[in-house]
Amino acid sequence: MADGQVVKRAKYKSSIKDPGVPGVLTMTREKCVFKPSDPSSTAKLNIEFKSIKGHKFTKEGSNKHALLNITQDQGGNYIFEFNSFPDRDVCREFVATAIASSVEAGRTGSERSAVPLHNEQLSTAEMERRIKLLQEDSELQKLHKQFVIGDILSETEFWATRMKLLDDKASRKPKQRVGLKSDMIFNVKPSSDGQSNRVTFNLTPEIIHQIFAEKPAVRQAYLNFVPIKMTEKDFWTKYWRAEYLHSTKNIVAAAAEAAEDEELAVFLKQDDILVNEARRKIRRVDPTLDMEADEGDDYTHLPDHGLPRDGSKDVMDSQYEQYRRSFLQDLNRHAAVVLEGRAIDVELGDTRSVAEALARSKQVELANEASDGNVNQERLDRISRMAEIEDLQAPRDHPVAPLSIKDPRDYFDSQQANALKTFGDTLAGTKQMTSDLSTSEAYGSLRESISEIKAVGLRAPIVKPEVALKVLNGLNQNISSTKYQIGKNAHESVLDRLPKITRDELLLHWTSIQELLKHFWSSYPITTTYLYTKVGKLKDAMSKIYPKLRDLKESQSDFRHQVSLLVQPMLQALDAAFAHYDADLQKRSAKSGERPNGF
Amino acid sequence: MKFQIEDVTVYFPYDHIYPEQHAYMVELKRALDAKGHCLLEMPTGTGKTIALLSLITSYALSKPSSLVKLLYCTRTVHEMEKTLGELKLLHRYQRLHLGDAARTLALGLSSRKNLCINPAVVSAENRDSVDAGCRKLTASWVRALAVENPNIPTCQFYEDYEKAASDAVLPPGVYTLQDLRAFGKEKGWCPYFLARHMVQFANVVVYSYQYLLDPKVAGIISKEMQRESVVVFDEAHNIDNVCIEALSVSVRRQTLEGATRNLNKMTQEIQRFKNTDAGRLRAEYNRLVDGLAQRGNLPIGDTWLSNPVLPDDILKQAVPGHIRKAESFVSLLRRLVQYLKGRLETENVEKEGPVAFVGSINAQVGIDQKTLRFCYDRLHSLMLTLEITDTDEFLHIQTICDFATLVGTYTRGFSIIIEPFDERMPHIPDPVLQLSCHDASLAIKPVFERFQSVVITSGTLSPIDLYPRLLNFNPVVSRSFTMSLTRDCICPMVLTRGSDQLPVSTKFDLRSDPGVERNYGRLLLEMVSVVPDGIVCFFVSYSYMDGIVNSWNETGILKEIMQHKLVFIETQDVVETTLALDNYRKACDCGRGAVFFSVARGKVAEGIDFDRHYGRLVIMFGVPFQYTLSRILLARLEYLRETFQIKEGDFLTFDALRQAAQCVGRVIRSKADYGMMIFADKRYSRHDKRSKLPGWILSHLRDAHLNLSTDMAVHIAREFLRKMAQPYDKTGGSGKKTLLSQEDLEKVGNGSLGEMLF
């Protein structure tokens, strides 16, 4: 719904009393369009969501009309009457999300159009969400206090970089479908009280669900027997009795019990539903796996031909055959059910509804399979894919879409210009190296020096030995002292060794610098006065932090070295920002010299 | 790509080729040129199948006048489908380059059960009922009756196929079983009979081993193949066992009881015919005087399994006089059944050679050797005369006649073993009389004699000099290829101890030790938490697997394993196993990961590939020795020692190790693939065992990996998986080339390639 469009039958009313023009309301992301059924009618509407400020609606009630009132920011409003409340609600929600997204779009757009943003209209929900986020995250709160309350950033600017945070919270679905557990939970051991022969089984809804999913015969029996023939408790008692008989592996005893008790026999016998399902599924199995076909082709193993193999000996009388069941089969069945995943969407409390829902889902599956014709084709494609040897053949279809550039020269020229510009931006002041050496000259000199080195060898070392030694010593000292300070525990971070106050201070500076720099760099290139003032403010805030950092770095303590190591990159980042700011300012003033009325 | 090997232009459907594939083709070509048999071992995962198909079809294309035809034998139907899949790829490529000149017909052939499209027939439970169901509708006498009486049901597909007569042909192309069925449905022709008919004209036929090796089947399917045909046995490391099984029969009490019922039924039928249509029986008598050679002229719908020995000489002789009459033949069979019943009553294990056994039959019930030899064909003739269509009801008497014919034909290489009970369950009387064949060369001999080139190939044929002895033939080329790897993409390890340093083994005295079971369980548990996607475990037998899984379940190890991966298990029910495999693949595809428990020598180990993410690790729990107390095995070992001077221990180790190698070899499909193999038994660290592994595994088995404990193995696995996840250069970089392009091939030419490689 959110990504598509909504089409509903509705009446357009100019006022509430108006009888309305019947027609079709189509809503897409950007706009809503109303087309009257009578083509000659003039009540055609085309409203962009951008211009819509809000919406109102009537409460659901028996004698009220399902109305939706959309308010435009110029003051106009449109009233639609729907045939039913569900229809209206669908549209209402759509309008709400559409308005929200257009507000967002407007926000980013408005930054560009330099409209001051403090008059932003916030829904209460939005506000609450932000407050909640701030409450949850103390660090965020600190930043918010420092910058927004300190009037360095506006509220919108602060949140604009955290759009994701807001979105995620909003779009996260509370309900997630839970898969089945890999465990065979119904394979529970009974608890016994140790004195009598009595054992107790604890059944949870989850266990019952698993039993029903894996043993359709039990499910069917439940639907048939409970509660007409027996109570739920009796049913499960019988079930566990049958399980017990299986676990003893005494097939003859099981057969004897089954002969006496026909309900018990249901649990003891082979699961017919499963057998049928297997027969159905075997037909759609990958032929490169189909061992059943193989058996059909095996003339060596005619009955009594060939050599007896391991395990094939325990043939038994056919009257007991149907009571045979192995744990291995249960394992296979369990894994298959887990793989299929949870098929039903019912609360697990009510046993009967679970059983019914499972039975229904099986029928749906059957119907789907019957109608699904192209499974076969898919299977064949798969086989032919599998037949190929992967590395002898260059991969067929690349998953990556090829880059399509209409005019390559145009594209690369512009790229080059961009690169040059940024180069100029960051290294403003340093001159570009220009050389008027021709290629042949350069080549000649290079060759000369190479042949010289070849002839003479590298006589003079590139670095003077004493300098090299000094650098090496300096570096080693640093490393060894750090090692000494940090100790042998590699997991301990440098921060943990610092006194708490220093650490907190450092972290605070770090986060605030990050925040500021993020805003700072995202404001370039400066195209509007709004950005210009913003950058100014940011620069001021940063230059306030700068001396603090320097103090921290220079403060005398045992950890001076570590602290300075940590502070150094921050200072460098700030220096880079200042340099860029200054360069930009110079460029700007130079430009404004030519163009005095530039902003 | 397209390249020359000597005078043959080879069409290969990929842009690149492995050097060993090229070398393989060169050797194969030499064998074809020499018109002799060959034996080629090439590691799995180097594309044997496509190399074979590509060379032989190209060879046939380059010599259009020769009658070279490819009979490609696979062990299983699903391998057949895989082979045909690769053939399709190749055919498409050849068509692209040669156009209509590359028109070939290739088809797979299987039983009615897998090809029938008549819903009323194919829904039957097993193959024999499908066969019988088909016969009930298509036998010549049924159809003759149906002409007069429209109420008698016939098979519409068969009728339409017959009506189309010579027009019923398959257009050139590659047909898998599924394609055949689809084609049959579209045209309304019976795919089974169409395929059987088209086999004579096809350029490539893919079918199961038994269609050539088992005389019962070969007699009707493969009798019209030209001598120039090239026969390929792929995955042939077990070929000796297939041969032996094709000629072995066992008789139980149930068989004899069933046979008696069959004989009663036949007596009734004979009586009925005597009263109504005595002329039929007389006609049969006259026919039998001339011998059994009429079989070739039977309508196609009437044939069924043929004589269990290749009947060339039998067909030309007249049937002995005293069994030409139907009643006397039935009474002779009764006497035979009675005699066998008496033999089953024994309380001790008995072992006899065929000569002594036939002598005793002759002495006690007066049936001589020559008569015994004719039993199967005489029965066949009788059943046709009696117009019996429900052949699935008469399997028991067929078994008895099979037995009689075999025992009457061969004087050596067989033994008859009568066991009153299975020694694993001595308290349950279950007498069985087994005629077991020990000499694999008997069944394959006619194949070597009839066809000029027989190619035997597999990933594991080590030691390669043993096979010519076992099968009694002289290959012109016998070669074992190594594998040139771009990176060390296989990582075999021998695990001898658990984390607690106690040895692990499936040796008889350690097998059920709880410590060993626990150590095996912990090994798997550690591995499932480290290895992504699919893991395959092989156990030495069903009963061992059943025991250990139950024990893991009780100790809670299984539960922990299931927290990491889903567990699927091979059971003795093929339908269930197939579905489990299908689900296993799904679980690997969707990223959930799974473990598959399987059995060495089982159906899964025989032909299911666990390549790529379907198998990143194989664990072989124990050494899969055969059940050494089995009398059949003991008799075979004795025969091998006396005839071929092969020591018992050597043969058992060879057999166990080829199974183990086969199991672990299923993880690799190409050089881009990778996988680990763990041999979890302390006995693998012994040199005499380990050295029997094929060279391509041994060459990657580092000395440091020979005696590992669980924790060390986990560490190695982690390292290996991390290494394999890195990108690499597929062509092998600067050193040895492991992937050749067309230019590479042209550059090095034919001659020097081999030297560059090895």
Side-chain angles (χ1 to χ4, degrees):
Chain A
M1 193 179 79
D3 48 2
Q5 57 169 19
V6 171
V7 182
K8 286 278 165 335
R9 213 158 255 296
K11 282 183 201 160
Y12 168 63
K13 296 174 161 191
S14 51
S15 70
I16 296 175
K17 296 276 171 345
D18 189 41
V21 187
V24 176
L25 184 66
T26 312
M27 292 186 176
T28 62
R29 263 259 190 69
E30 290 83 29
K31 57 187 178 183
C32 69
V33 178
F34 179 79
K35 269 194 197 146
S37 318
D38 176 13
S40 62
S41 167
T42 50
K44 231 173 187 174
L45 284 178
N46 190 345
I47 318 162
E48 293 211 6
F49 277 124
K50 240 193 278 175
S51 65
I52 288 175
K53 207 166 63 187
H55 63 280
K56 295 177 200 152
F57 50 90
T58 50
K59 284 224 170 66
E60 205 167 317
S62 53
N63 53 353
K64 283 182 183 163
H65 299 293
L67 295 182
L68 179 67
N69 185 351
I70 299 176
T71 340
Q72 222 169 359
D73 50 0
Q74 274 89 28
N77 57 359
Y78 309 95
I79 302 171
F80 297 100
E81 184 185 339
F82 292 87
N83 294 342
S84 65
F85 280 99
D87 270 9
R88 203 274 320 273
D89 289 343
V90 168
C91 289
R92 192 193 74 204
E93 275 171 34
F94 193 86
V95 169
T97 48
I99 291 176
S101 66
S102 70
V103 166
E104 271 166 29
R107 208 181 292 151
T108 43
S110 58
E111 246 175 300
R112 229 174 284 128
S113 58
V115 175
L117 285 170
H118 41 258
N119 61 352
E120 181 199 14
Q121 293 291 324
L122 277 179
S123 66
T124 41
E126 181 81 7
M127 210 62 213
E128 271 168 19
R129 206 181 296 141
R130 288 180 183 183
I131 291 169
K132 199 165 162 240
L133 270 173
L134 288 177
Q135 279 167 348
E136 277 170 1
D137 191 341
S138 64
E139 212 165 277
L140 201 65
Q141 201 178 2
K142 243 187 245 169
L143 280 178
H144 187 258
K145 207 167 133 195
Q146 192 181 348
F147 296 128
V148 181
I149 317 269
D151 202 26
I152 294 166
L153 292 171
S154 77
E155 175 89 19
T156 332
E157 281 166 358
F158 183 78
W159 286 108
T161 53
R162 290 182 172 73
M163 225 59 215
K164 275 271 158 52
L165 217 57
L166 294 170
D167 271 3
D168 278 357
K169 292 274 168 177
S171 63
R172 188 181 298 160
K173 287 261 156 29
K175 212 170 151 199
Q176 187 187 8
R177 274 175 70 155
V178 189
L180 289 167
K181 280 190 183 150
S182 306
D183 269 357
M184 289 179 84
I185 42 176
F186 68 86
N187 193 16
V188 283
K189 293 242 163 44
S191 52
S192 93
D193 57 6
Q195 292 177 346
S196 59
N197 275 333
R198 198 188 168 91
V199 290
T200 323
F201 289 95
N202 284 319
L203 278 176
T204 63
E206 190 72 26
I207 294 180
I208 291 177
H209 174 234
Q210 210 177 24
I211 292 174
F212 280 165
E214 293 182 21
K215 302 177 177 175
V218 176
R219 183 187 72 214
Q220 201 54 45
Y222 183 89
L223 289 176
N224 290 345
F225 295 161
V226 183
I228 309 140
K229 238 176 165 177
M230 56 176 88
T231 66
E232 176 146 5
K233 187 160 176 270
D234 287 344
F235 179 82
W236 290 115
T237 314
K238 274 220 157 68
Y239 171 77
W240 288 112
R241 166 134 195 84
E243 286 302 297
Y244 168 75
L245 281 171
H246 273 304
S247 68
T248 57
K249 298 200 173 147
N250 188 344
I251 295 169
V252 182
E257 292 249 359
E260 282 172 19
D261 186 341
E262 63 176 280
E263 282 110 37
L264 191 65
V266 173
F267 300 130
L268 288 172
K269 270 187 191 160
Q270 238 179 11
D271 198 327
D272 284 334
I273 304 176
L274 276 188
V275 172
N276 288 335
E277 206 178 281
R279 216 172 276 157
R280 216 179 59 239
K281 277 187 184 156
I282 196 96
R283 270 179 241 142
R284 9 187 89 235
V285 103
D286 186 345
T288 58
L289 287 179
D290 192 354
M291 291 193 289
E292 207 223 357
D294 196 34
E295 188 144 274
D297 202 29
D298 189 355
Y299 283 93
T300 309
H301 295 101
L302 286 173
D304 299 326
H305 284 68
L307 299 167
R309 294 195 179 195
D310 167 53
S312 60
K313 273 217 161 172
D314 48 48
V315 277
M316 59 174 61
D317 293 343
S318 53
Q319 56 165 322
Y320 297 135
E321 190 60 44
Q322 55 176 333
Y323 298 111
R324 222 155 69 139
R325 216 183 62 188
S326 68
F327 175 59
L328 304 187
Q329 279 172 323
D330 287 348
L331 271 179
N332 278 335
R333 174 70 192 151
H334 168 75
V337 167
V338 172
L339 196 62
E340 269 171 29
R342 195 179 292 261
I344 56 163
D345 231 355
V346 181
E347 281 296 311
L348 291 182
D350 182 18
T351 317
R352 191 169 181 87
S353 62
V354 168
E356 277 166 352
L358 275 171
R360 263 201 312 278
S361 75
K362 279 287 152 205
Q363 277 163 3
V364 170
E365 195 179 295
L366 250 175
N368 283 349
E369 267 177 32
S371 61
D372 219 356
N374 53 5
V375 173
N376 232 343
Q377 191 50 44
E378 250 167 56
R379 214 170 57 177
L380 288 178
D381 291 348
R382 221 177 111 99
I383 294 166
S384 72
R385 265 207 314 279
M386 294 271 289
E388 281 181 25
I389 301 177
E390 45 192 345
D391 60 339
L392 291 183
Q393 192 65 52
R396 284 279 152 85
D397 32 14
H398 273 285
V400 189
L403 182 64
S404 134
I405 302 168
K406 277 189 188 130
D407 182 0
R409 201 193 302 160
D410 204 27
Y411 172 78
F412 286 112
D413 284 357
S414 70
Q415 283 303 98
Q416 203 174 12
N418 273 347
L420 278 178
K421 212 164 87 189
T422 43
F423 185 71
D425 270 358
T426 45
L427 292 175
T430 63
K431 268 189 192 159
Q432 247 180 286
M433 293 275 280
T434 50
S435 166
D436 48 7
L437 271 179
S438 74
T439 358
S440 59
E441 276 172 312
Y443 177 68
S445 100
L446 200 62
R447 256 185 78 155
E448 218 167 87
S449 54
I450 289 176
S451 59
E452 191 186 303
I453 289 172
K454 260 189 186 164
V456 189
L458 269 174
R459 188 152 317 146
I462 295 164
V463 186
K464 279 187 185 153
E466 49 270 32
V467 179
L469 186 70
K470 208 174 146 196
V471 171
L472 193 66
N473 277 341
L475 284 173
N476 278 345
Q477 207 172 4
N478 276 352
I479 292 168
S480 61
S481 74
T482 313
K483 265 225 174 108
Y484 173 74
Q485 294 284 358
I486 294 173
K488 302 225 157 36
N489 194 345
H491 296 295
E492 206 175 339
S493 106
V494 185
L495 278 176
D496 294 338
R497 316 255 332 158
L498 297 176
K500 196 175 177 309
I501 312 164
T502 329
R503 193 178 67 194
D504 287 352
E505 206 176 343
L506 264 175
L507 281 176
L508 178 69
H509 286 318
W510 172 242
T511 43
S512 35
I513 287 172
Q514 262 195 323
E515 180 72 21
L516 288 171
L517 283 172
K518 197 155 65 183
H519 284 283
F520 178 81
W521 288 110
S522 65
S523 315
Y524 281 94
I526 297 173
T527 47
T528 62
T529 37
Y530 167 71
L531 282 177
Y532 186 70
T533 46
K534 184 183 171 189
V535 165
K537 262 194 281 180
L538 287 169
K539 194 232 154 198
D540 290 346
M542 286 195 287
S543 45
K544 262 180 225 154
I545 298 181
Y546 195 82
K548 282 188 208 160
L549 278 175
R550 218 171 29 209
D551 289 350
L552 201 66
K553 189 179 159 192
E554 252 121 65
S555 68
Q556 291 296 324
S557 78
D558 294 348
F559 302 100
R560 202 185 133 218
H561 180 60
Q562 271 85 36
V563 172
S564 73
L565 275 180
L566 288 169
V567 171
Q568 192 58 36
M570 300 191 213
L571 288 176
Q572 275 168 359
L574 287 177
D575 283 339
F578 292 147
H580 186 81
Y581 180 77
D582 292 342
D584 196 60
L585 208 64
Q586 265 178 23
K587 223 168 32 178
R588 203 167 284 283
S589 58
K591 257 191 208 160
S592 60
E594 296 159 18
R595 237 177 354 142
N597 54 347
F599 53 85
Chain B
M1 65 197 296
K2 198 166 86 172
F3 55 89
Q4 288 296 125
I5 294 183
E6 287 152 25
D7 53 333
V8 173
T9 313
V10 179
Y11 296 88
F12 191 72
Y14 296 105
D15 295 340
H16 294 88
I17 187 169
Y18 296 139
E20 45 274 75
Q21 279 179 321
H22 187 267
Y24 185 90
M25 289 186 188
V26 171
E27 295 291 340
L28 195 58
K29 154 115 197 339
R30 284 179 192 154
L32 294 187
D33 283 342
K35 299 190 194 307
H37 311 313
C38 72
L39 193 62
L40 297 169
E41 178 186 29
M42 184 154 91
T44 52
T46 44
K48 265 192 306 292
T49 309
I50 191 66
L52 260 171
L53 292 173
S54 162
L55 182 91
I56 297 176
T57 49
S58 303
Y59 193 88
L61 284 173
S62 73
K63 299 181 165 52
S65 58
S66 76
L67 297 163
V68 175
K69 176 170 176 166
L70 174 58
L71 303 181
Y72 194 100
C73 302
T74 62
R75 283 178 310 173
T76 56
V77 174
H78 45 265
E79 281 181 336
M80 186 193 294
E81 296 273 3
K82 255 187 298 192
T83 308
L84 284 165
E86 297 201 37
L87 195 59
K88 261 188 191 168
L89 214 71
L90 174 65
H91 185 63
R92 207 179 302 145
Y93 183 79
Q94 287 175 341
R95 286 292 294 262
L96 207 70
H97 280 263
L98 285 171
D100 279 354
R103 279 155 72 101
T104 47
L105 176 64
L107 57 93
L109 184 64
S110 182
S111 63
R112 288 181 176 89
K113 172 97 169 71
N114 291 335
L115 281 175
C116 181
I117 48 171
N118 188 335
V121 175
V122 80
S123 59
E125 269 303 287
N126 56 41
R127 183 200 54 238
D128 299 308
S129 343
V130 175
D131 282 0
C134 178
R135 261 180 218 117
K136 273 175 205 157
L137 300 178
T138 58
S140 55
W141 56 88
V142 175
R143 294 179 58 228
L145 281 178
V147 171
E148 291 152 22
N149 180 357
N151 289 332
I152 292 176
T154 54
C155 175
Q156 199 50 50
F157 297 103
Y158 184 76
E159 295 302 321
D160 287 352
Y161 163 73
E162 281 284 288
K163 243 176 254 158
S166 57
D167 292 338
V169 286
L170 276 171
V174 179
Y175 295 87
T176 63
L177 300 186
Q178 179 139 11
D179 297 334
L180 281 172
R181 280 197 300 267
F183 182 80
K185 265 184 199 153
E186 185 195 315
K187 296 275 182 183
W189 295 336
C190 174
Y192 173 74
F193 288 106
L194 179 64
R196 284 229 346 231
H197 177 65
M198 292 310 291
V199 159
Q200 304 171 45
F201 311 104
N203 307 77
V204 182
V205 182
V206 184
Y207 52 28
S208 143
Y209 273 27
Q210 295 141 14
Y211 286 73
L212 268 187
L213 288 181
D214 192 334
K216 297 194 283 295
V217 196
I220 49 163
I221 303 286
S222 309
K223 60 177 186 286
E224 279 166 7
M225 303 297 184
Q226 300 87 334
R227 184 175 161 70
E228 286 77 15
S229 304
V230 180
V231 176
V232 175
F233 291 103
D234 196 5
E235 303 288 349
H237 47 274
N238 263 338
I239 194 166
D240 52 328
N241 290 339
V242 179
C243 291
I244 283 170
E245 297 215 358
L247 295 183
S248 296
V249 183
S250 60
V251 176
R252 288 165 191 279
R253 263 192 201 145
Q254 296 95 305
T255 326
L256 294 174
E257 282 158 15
T260 315
R261 279 198 303 276
N262 293 158
L263 289 172
N264 291 341
K265 183 91 190 290
M266 284 169 124
T267 318
Q268 279 171 22
E269 286 292 303
I270 292 170
Q271 210 53 49
R272 191 170 64 85
F273 270 104
K274 259 193 170 160
N275 298 337
T276 57
D277 190 7
R280 266 192 91 84
L281 294 170
R282 175 117 314 262
E284 186 199 18
Y285 184 93
N286 292 334
R287 214 168 55 228
L288 293 174
V289 177
D290 304 331
L292 291 156
Q294 93 293 4
R295 180 203 290 274
N297 309 326
L298 282 178
I300 193 167
D302 290 358
T303 56
W304 74 62
L305 294 186
S306 119
N307 194 306
V309 295
L310 281 180
D312 286 348
D313 47 344
I314 294 184
L315 289 180
K316 292 174 190 86
Q317 294 175 29
V319 176
H322 60 282
I323 55 169
R324 280 182 214 153
K325 271 186 85 175
E327 298 104 316
S328 49
F329 176 62
V330 170
S331 78
L332 178 135
L333 284 181
R334 274 187 202 283
R335 290 208 304 280
L336 181 64
V337 169
Q338 203 53 45
Y339 172 78
L340 292 175
K341 253 184 200 157
R343 292 301 300 264
L344 274 184
E345 292 301 311
T346 178
E347 294 196 346
N348 305 313
V349 176
E350 291 174 26
K351 184 177 164 246
E352 260 173 62
V355 179
F357 193 80
V358 170
S360 121
I361 292 181
N362 201 2
Q364 296 202 19
V365 289
I367 308 172
D368 64 358
Q369 190 202 358
K370 191 177 174 209
T371 318
L372 283 175
R373 287 178 70 180
F374 278 96
C375 274
Y376 194 89
D377 288 287
R378 181 64 191 89
L379 177 77
H380 183 195
S381 164
L382 181 64
M383 285 173 75
L384 279 183
T385 313
L386 297 180
E387 299 183 346
I388 290 168
T389 46
D390 45 353
T391 44
D392 54 335
E393 301 291 320
F394 285 81
L395 287 177
H396 295 299
I397 191 67
Q398 288 182 51
T399 306
I400 301 291
C401 289
D402 241 1
F403 173 81
T405 306
L406 281 171
V407 89
T409 308
Y410 293 105
T411 53
R412 49 174 285 284
F414 281 81
S415 47
I416 290 119
I417 298 167
I418 308 170
E419 286 177 291
F421 48 78
D422 185 347
E423 64 256 46
R424 277 172 284 193
M425 289 176 282
H427 50 285
I428 304 169
D430 178 28
V432 57
L433 184 150
Q434 284 159 323
L435 173 73
S436 67
C437 172
H438 305 314
D439 194 341
S441 65
L442 293 177
I444 206 171
K445 189 169 153 235
V447 180
F448 284 130
E449 281 171 357
R450 269 185 60 196
F451 299 103
Q452 70 180 25
S453 291
V454 177
V455 181
I456 291 180
T457 185
S458 171
T460 35
L461 290 174
S462 311
I464 201 160
D465 52 331
L466 189 63
Y467 283 85
R469 278 158 81 195
L470 283 178
L471 302 176
N472 193 21
F473 75 111
N474 290 316
V476 291
V477 174
S478 162
R479 176 93 190 254
S480 180
F481 295 88
T482 53
M483 189 170 177
S484 63
L485 288 181
T486 321
R487 47 176 187 169
D488 284 330
C489 66
I490 59 172
C491 177
M493 303 178 229
V494 174
L495 181 125
T496 55
R497 294 162 283 143
S499 296
D500 53 5
Q501 305 304 322
L502 290 176
V504 291
S505 176
T506 54
K507 228 165 113 178
F508 196 68
D509 49 340
L510 281 178
R511 173 175 284 219
S512 47
D513 185 79
V516 172
E517 288 185 345
R518 192 185 56 241
N519 270 331
Y520 275 152
R522 307 295 316 178
L523 166 67
L524 181 58
L525 181 56
E526 294 282 343
M527 285 300 167
V528 287
S529 61
V530 172
V531 180
D533 298 328
I535 295 184
V536 198
C537 301
F538 287 98
F539 297 88
V540 289
S541 69
Y542 278 113
S543 50
Y544 184 67
M545 179 171 79
D546 197 45
I548 203 166
V549 170
N550 275 306
S551 130
W552 287 350
N553 180 38
E554 271 152 34
T555 50
I557 292 178
L558 191 67
K559 197 174 161 181
E560 287 180 64
I561 291 171
M562 289 207 294
Q563 280 170 359
H564 294 281
K565 288 185 193 299
L566 292 174
V567 175
F568 294 97
I569 304 187
E570 173 182 6
T571 65
Q572 304 200 25
D573 179 357
V574 278
V575 175
E576 171 154 2
T577 309
T578 307
L579 291 178
L581 271 170
D582 200 44
N583 282 325
Y584 171 80
R585 287 212 166 163
K586 270 186 211 149
C588 293
D589 284 338
C590 75
R592 177 136 198 170
V595 194
F596 195 86
F597 290 171
S598 177
V599 173
R601 297 173 195 281
K603 288 222 149 67
V604 172
E606 236 171 50
I608 303 290
D609 282 339
F610 294 99
D611 52 333
R612 296 172 298 138
H613 61 292
Y614 298 131
R616 288 297 181 210
L617 166 70
V618 201
I619 307 179
M620 177 76 235
F621 289 109
V623 188
F625 281 113
Q626 287 191 55
Y627 176 62
T628 44
L629 296 177
S630 142
R631 311 217 177 246
I632 298 176
L633 180 61
L634 290 176
R636 184 174 180 206
L637 290 174
E638 197 184 317
Y639 180 81
L640 288 175
R641 195 186 58 225
E642 283 167 5
T643 334
F644 302 114
Q645 286 78 47
I646 298 171
K647 280 192 221 136
E648 283 103 333
D650 282 354
F651 182 78
L652 286 174
T653 316
F654 148 75
D655 183 64
L657 270 292
R658 72 172 164 184
Q659 297 301 341
Q662 193 52 34
C663 291
V664 299
R666 313 235 60 99
V667 280
I668 292 285
R669 181 174 155 82
S670 68
K671 289 180 182 176
D673 199 1
Y674 60 91
M676 292 178 284
M677 309 155 175
I678 296 182
F679 297 93
D681 192 303
K682 66 170 184 183
R683 288 173 289 177
Y684 285 112
S685 67
R686 284 172 49 183
H687 182 261
D688 62 321
K689 299 279 186 304
R690 202 178 61 231
S691 61
K692 298 258 185 349
L693 286 171
W696 59 273
I697 294 184
L698 279 182
S699 62
H700 289 92
L701 188 55
R702 292 198 229 139
D703 286 343
H705 293 179
L706 283 181
N707 187 6
L708 298 176
S709 64
T710 303
D711 38 346
M712 292 153 85
V714 171
H715 178 72
I716 293 170
R718 281 213 180 94
E719 291 282 300
F720 176 76
L721 288 169
R722 191 177 310 141
K723 208 165 82 193
M724 285 302 117
Q726 311 304 320
Y728 71 105
D729 178 12
K730 281 187 178 155
T731 53
S734 52
K736 275 203 296 189
K737 280 266 184 190
T738 54
L739 203 60
L740 304 175
S741 64
Q742 184 142 11
E743 297 89 77
D744 290 334
L745 277 181
E746 278 156 13
K747 226 183 291 168
V748 292
N750 282 332
S752 59
L753 190 70
E755 286 125 51
M756 190 188 91
L757 240 183
F758 303 108

